[in-house]
Amino acid sequence: MTTLSGLVIRQQEPRNLEFPFERLDSYLTPVESFYIRSHFHAPGLQSDSYRLSVGGAVKNPLVLTYDELKSLPAKTVVATLECAGNSRVFLVPQKPGAQWELGAVGTAEWTGVPLAMLLDRAGLTDKACDVVLEGADRGQPAEPPKPPDPISYSRSVPLDKALEDVLIAYGMNGVDLPHDHGFPVRAIVPGHYGMASVKWLTQVLVLEEQFQGYWQTSDYAYWDEVDGIPVRRPLSEIKLKSEIARPATLEVVPKGQLYRVYGAAWGGTADIVSVELTTDGGLTWAATDFLDPIRPHAWRRWSYDWKTPDQPGRYTLMSRAKNAAGASQPDKFDERYFSYVVHHTLPIEVIVQ
Ligand code: MTE
């Protein structure tokens, strides 16, 4: 079992633990400090009795053991996972749900089998369009409308995404998936909020219609519009965001000296090309330097050498990412997301003295 290190408890059981983002100092987040977000008690799956079934709208349903999965050609990808509720604590007024600060996000190297390979072996029917990923954990969701009986954690990905780059993963940063991160097998949906990357994955179910499960429509969904009529849609791609790791909120920073501001940026559907920083509450912005190359679906850390003011006082820092498509991080929260997708520029107040 992995020893967890330095995580902040947001909920003891089911386990919901946050990475203290001010400790960010590596590109890959070590497994022992990767945030954990679980809705139900973690199931105790064993690798020797593990089975993954692939069924529904397929011609040859499959059942694979753990060893069979591991014997298939493997792929390793780096992907940043961010919980859709990350940074909720910044919302005013406060919204229900775990009060995540900046650390329900992490980057890891995931190893496994492309879902496309399994779907190819199973043979899709002509009308297949959605792929449900079901976990072995079950329970009663916390938020209404509550279904009458316990449900599993299950989420779908559109077929084109499933065929593009979804990974059926058994490795994380070169070791077996830790228990809390979905041992023995989980899905990784690169570029989508963490809720899509189903842990303790035991079933892949192909549908010929759009899945309408609880975690798709009730939770992890937002209000969109069709011709002025509000409609519920599932959350999907991670939005463009940057965060400041150091200084931390209300950190005391020495006046009149160089201080290395440090953070990371990720998300969006185009390459991140710049991160700017303001140290005067948004009056002026300066370019920061990237520490990591562009890699699809992975964060880029950045830093900036700030000559701190000679004048003691409270100063507000904010970072703002921009991407190659010309998009910029917004300066306000979008209320259509209610308590999710907090990706606007986040104010970090520090004390210079
Ligand atoms: N999969 C299952 N089976 N059960 C869960 O509760 N939580 C989801 C997703 N997959 C969840 C799950 C959410 S909301 C997130 S953000 C990620 O797992 C978190 O993955 P991690 O705990 O490995 O960081």
Side-chain angles (χ1 to χ4, degrees):
M1 178 161 285
T2 315
T3 315
L4 301 173
S5 162
L7 292 165
V8 181
I9 299 176
R10 296 280 164 239
Q11 189 179 348
Q12 184 70 32
E13 187 56 43
R15 226 170 212 186
N16 285 287
L17 307 177
E18 171 158 3
F19 169 62
F21 200 65
E22 69 276 11
R23 299 228 318 250
L24 177 74
D25 61 7
S26 58
Y27 180 58
L28 296 183
T29 313
V31 289
E32 60 277 11
S33 42
F34 203 97
Y35 82 94
I36 296 169
R37 202 302 175 233
S38 297
H39 285 271
F40 305 130
H41 185 68
L45 299 182
Q46 304 294 325
S47 52
D48 46 8
S49 55
Y50 174 78
R51 298 287 182 275
L52 175 66
S53 66
V54 181
V58 297
K59 293 166 197 149
N60 317 299
L62 310 173
V63 177
L64 292 120
T65 65
Y66 183 65
D67 289 342
E68 282 167 342
L69 262 181
K70 283 187 104 170
S71 68
L72 294 173
K75 196 177 160 190
T76 295
V77 298
V78 173
T80 295
L81 228 60
E82 183 188 18
C83 182
N86 189 32
S87 313
R88 181 178 290 136
V89 77
F90 285 88
L91 299 180
V92 180
Q94 192 181 48
K95 297 284 175 64
Q99 296 301 304
W100 302 108
E101 296 185 19
L102 298 166
V105 61
T107 297
E109 206 173 61
W110 310 96
T111 302
V113 177
L115 176 55
M117 188 187 294
L118 303 184
L119 295 177
D120 182 53
R121 288 188 178 206
L124 296 167
T125 64
D126 293 344
K127 291 196 186 132
C129 70
D130 209 16
V131 181
V132 181
L133 305 168
E134 186 181 33
D137 48 333
R138 298 181 76 78
Q140 186 72 253
E143 298 296 328
K146 292 187 189 181
D149 296 310
I151 57 169
S152 59
Y153 186 86
S154 41
R155 250 261 162 185
S156 79
V157 279
L159 183 61
D160 52 355
K161 179 67 178 171
L163 294 174
E164 187 189 334
D165 59 1
V166 174
L167 199 65
I168 304 303
Y170 46 76
M172 180 178 183
N173 291 352
V175 296
D176 287 346
L177 270 184
H179 181 64
D180 286 307
H181 295 293
F183 181 83
V185 174
R186 75 176 300 167
I188 290 294
V189 182
H192 282 210
Y193 280 110
M195 81 269 134
S197 293
V198 175
K199 305 191 278 190
W200 310 293
L201 180 73
T202 49
Q203 183 170 213
V204 173
L205 185 67
V206 182
L207 297 187
E208 295 187 342
E209 60 186 297
Q210 199 66 47
F211 182 52
Q212 301 288 349
Y214 177 87
W215 313 99
Q216 202 82 16
T217 50
S218 196
D219 203 356
Y220 296 121
Y222 71 104
W223 288 107
D224 196 11
E225 269 190 12
V226 173
D227 291 335
I229 303 171
V231 290
R232 211 69 184 137
R233 287 206 202 283
L235 298 178
S236 52
E237 283 94 5
I238 301 177
K239 301 272 187 187
L240 181 61
K241 180 168 179 180
S242 62
E243 288 184 359
I244 297 172
R246 289 188 292 279
T249 297
L250 296 183
E251 185 174 321
V252 175
V253 171
K255 65 178 170 128
Q257 286 183 29
L258 273 187
Y259 182 103
R260 180 152 292 181
V261 182
Y262 184 68
W266 61 88
T269 43
D271 293 343
I272 293 172
V273 292
S274 77
V275 174
E276 297 164 318
L277 182 79
T278 175
T279 55
D280 55 15
L283 294 175
T284 57
W285 295 83
T288 69
D289 298 316
F290 283 115
L291 306 175
D292 304 309
I294 292 173
R295 212 180 222 164
H297 311 311
W299 66 21
R300 298 184 79 183
R301 290 168 302 148
W302 53 266
S303 73
Y304 176 79
D305 286 332
W306 178 32
K307 163 76 171 53
T308 61
D310 295 326
Q311 184 67 33
R314 289 188 173 220
Y315 290 82
T316 300
L317 276 56
M318 287 183 279
S319 62
R320 180 170 70 188
K322 293 189 174 174
N323 71 18
S328 183
Q329 247 182 285
D331 56 10
K332 276 198 194 65
F333 176 62
D334 182 342
E335 290 291 342
R336 294 176 311 152
Y337 294 103
F338 182 60
S339 68
Y340 289 123
V341 191
V342 183
H343 77 118
H344 60 285
T345 47
L346 300 173
I348 302 294
E349 199 183 351
V350 299
I351 299 161
V352 173
Q353 72 180 29

